Each structure stands twice: as structure tokens, then as C-alpha cells.
Amino acid sequence: MPFDVTGYELRARQGPCFVCSLVDGAPGYRHEVVFEDDRHIAFLDRHPTVVGKTLVAPKAHIEHAVRDLDEGDYLALMALVRRVALAVEASVPTERTYLLSLGSRQGNAHLHWHVAPLPPDVPYGRQQYYALMTENGVISQTPEQIAEVAGRIRAHLE
């Protein structure tokens, strides 16, 4: 379904940090959480371009993937990214898994990793960046479908 990229950019640049808001339980920032411990959180992307797209982040407001983490914290986060990616792959049909850290100081500054499972048989011209661009639309899912995918991912993380 179509996605309001302009509105999203405005919220990302002018609104509060979406990860910190989720961690703090702020109304309007609820996501389907699939994993949480004292240092990390993983949750389904609210605007997925592929089914099962999950975000993994440190709970602390950290902005740079390498400079803001010491080696131990970086390795712990990346171990969780791998664990979540394996759970996502076990939960939805996946040809390949894309792992990206996106955002900038201008918007969505909180460090987060995208775990995006590319479905099988997507034509090559619609893979890679194309498959991740909200400009091309997002997946329309009911709350029940979202909860079902999250439940499968959670089960593989346990």
C-alpha cells in the first residue's frame, strides 16, 4: 500500500526518538516487541516493506554503530542481530536476509539494525534497495497478522 514518505520524514526529523519512546512506553510508539533484555530491544518494523522486517537496537540512546560502542557492547549487539535474523528466517520464507544500520543525526538517530527477509522469487529488479524503499509502498497487515508473525519470531528466540 502507498506510504506517506514526506510525513514520515517530518516525524523522524522533528519528533522524539522513536526507539527511546518505545522503550519508555510512550503512547503512539508501540511496536510488536519480539525480544527485550536489560540492554537491547527487538521489534517489528511499523512500516515494513517485507513481512517479518524487524529492528534491533540498544535501549540506551546510542547513535553511531562503531564509535559509540566499545568492542564488547558492539559484539553483544551484533550477536543479537544474528540471533534475531536466524529467528526471522525460521519464521517467514526467506531467500536472503538484508542487515542494515540506517538513520542519521538528522533523523532516526538512535542506532538500530534492520533485519529484512527478502521473500523467495522476488524479481532481481525488485530486490536489494528497491525491496526496502518505502517509496515503493509498505506491506498492509492486520493487527492479527502482525501479532502472528511476531509470535513465530518470539518462539524461535526462546
Side-chain angles (χ1 to χ4, degrees):
M1 65 185 226
F3 182 70
D4 178 10
V5 176
T6 302
Y8 174 78
E9 180 181 335
L10 188 63
R11 284 188 308 277
R13 295 182 77 177
Q14 296 180 358
C17 171
F18 82 101
V19 177
C20 290
S21 295
L22 167 65
V23 169
D24 291 342
Y29 288 88
R30 185 184 178 287
H31 289 71
E32 192 70 49
V33 175
V34 297
F35 176 86
E36 185 172 6
D37 67 14
D38 60 328
R39 298 186 318 166
H40 306 102
I41 191 163
F43 50 96
L44 292 184
D45 189 331
R46 186 181 273 179
H47 310 292
T49 57
V50 292
V51 174
K53 187 165 180 253
T54 304
L55 306 180
V56 181
K59 286 183 170 180
H61 188 90
I62 293 169
E63 296 188 0
H64 195 279
V66 291
R67 288 192 304 257
D68 291 351
L69 296 168
D70 67 28
E71 185 174 355
D73 289 338
Y74 176 83
L75 293 173
L77 177 60
M78 294 314 295
L80 179 59
V81 168
R82 180 180 185 275
R83 188 172 159 211
V84 169
L86 290 169
V88 168
E89 286 183 353
S91 301
V92 298
T94 307
E95 176 180 313
R96 182 175 200 115
T97 299
Y98 299 146
L99 302 175
L100 301 97
S101 176
L102 301 171
S104 78
R105 288 185 176 165
Q106 296 176 33
N108 290 335
H110 194 124
L111 171 61
H112 60 286
W113 285 88
H114 295 248
V115 176
L118 180 70
D121 303 320
V122 172
Y124 185 75
R126 293 185 177 265
Q127 293 182 12
Q128 301 180 67
Y129 294 117
Y130 186 96
L132 303 175
M133 293 174 61
T134 54
E135 293 88 335
N136 299 320
V138 296
I139 303 290
S140 176
Q141 296 176 295
T142 66
E144 295 78 22
Q145 290 170 319
I146 295 166
E148 196 269 326
V149 169
R152 288 196 315 255
I153 295 170
R154 269 189 222 103
H156 287 287
L157 284 166
E158 293 174 356

